[in-house]
Amino acid sequence: MKKENHVTAFYLEVLLLTLCLIGIVLVLTRVFAMGRIESDGARELTDAVCLAQNAAEAVSASNSAESLCAILNEENNARIADGTELIVEAGYNADRTPNAGRAPHYLLRVSWSDDGTGLAHAAITVRRGDISNAEIIFSLETAVYHKEAAA
């Protein structure tokens, strides 16, 4: 009789240890999965900031929306959008290479406004996808003064 109690206790201990081990594995799996999600979000934000920075430098180097479009245009991925205000749009793949197709991973939009005094304002947004109501990942407002335009 005594030996049966020891065997039952052994099985109970093994069962509890197995349940603890499974619980630890599940917690660690969740932690690593959440880390992966955060890493993907950080990579996407880094890409968006890089695209916006490049667009801000292009705004600084251009003196009109047309010249901005020419600077951003790589492999025919940029265009001036139809509408009342001057908006330059450029599409990019997930690896930030130009995408002239219909479904870019990132859509860079630069809203250009010039008040005639030589000061040009630009609102830069980077969205996920090509849909106009897609989530904005990063936005930046900048301005540049052109001496020759003021004269």
Side-chain angles (χ1 to χ4, degrees), residues 66 79-89 109 111-112:
E66 290 78 16
R79 66 181 179 88
I80 296 179
D82 298 330
T84 57
E85 55 184 328
L86 291 172
I87 297 177
V88 178
E89 293 182 341
R109 295 184 67 157
S111 175
W112 179 279

Side-chain angles (χ1 to χ4, degrees), residues 55-68:
E57 291 174 0
V59 166
S60 177
S62 61
N63 57 9
S64 67
E66 290 78 16
S67 65
L68 175 63

Side-chain angles (χ1 to χ4, degrees), residues 84-146:
T84 57
E85 55 184 328
L86 291 172
I87 297 177
V88 178
E89 293 182 341
Y92 295 91
N93 294 320
D95 59 352
R96 294 185 317 227
T97 57
N99 181 337
R102 303 192 89 196
H105 186 78
Y106 298 114
L107 180 66
L108 173 73
R109 295 184 67 157
V110 181
S111 175
W112 179 279
S113 64
D114 192 353
D115 59 5
T117 63
L119 187 63
H121 295 274
I124 302 167
T125 58
V126 179
R127 299 174 185 263
R128 183 180 302 115
D130 64 345
I131 302 169
S132 62
N133 61 359
E135 175 188 357
I136 294 175
I137 302 171
F138 186 75
S139 64
L140 172 71
E141 290 191 23
T142 187
V144 63
Y145 180 73
H146 299 287

Side-chain angles (χ1 to χ4, degrees), residues 4-85:
E4 288 179 14
N5 287 338
H6 288 294
V7 171
T8 304
F10 173 74
Y11 284 139
L12 187 59
E13 287 178 17
V14 169
L15 179 63
L16 288 175
L17 287 173
T18 304
L19 290 176
C20 288
L21 182 64
I22 289 171
I24 291 170
V25 168
L26 289 175
V27 167
L28 289 176
T29 302
R30 182 173 174 93
V31 166
F32 286 120
M34 291 184 73
R36 174 66 184 214
I37 291 169
E38 288 294 320
S39 175
D40 290 344
R43 182 178 304 111
E44 193 167 70
L45 181 60
T46 301
D47 289 344
V49 169
C50 185
L51 288 171
Q53 179 182 3
N54 291 346
E57 291 174 0
V59 166
S60 177
S62 61
N63 57 9
S64 67
E66 290 78 16
S67 65
L68 175 63
C69 185
I71 291 172
L72 291 177
N73 194 10
E74 300 176 73
E75 299 179 18
N76 210 16
N77 71 320
R79 66 181 179 88
I80 296 179
D82 298 330
T84 57
E85 55 184 328

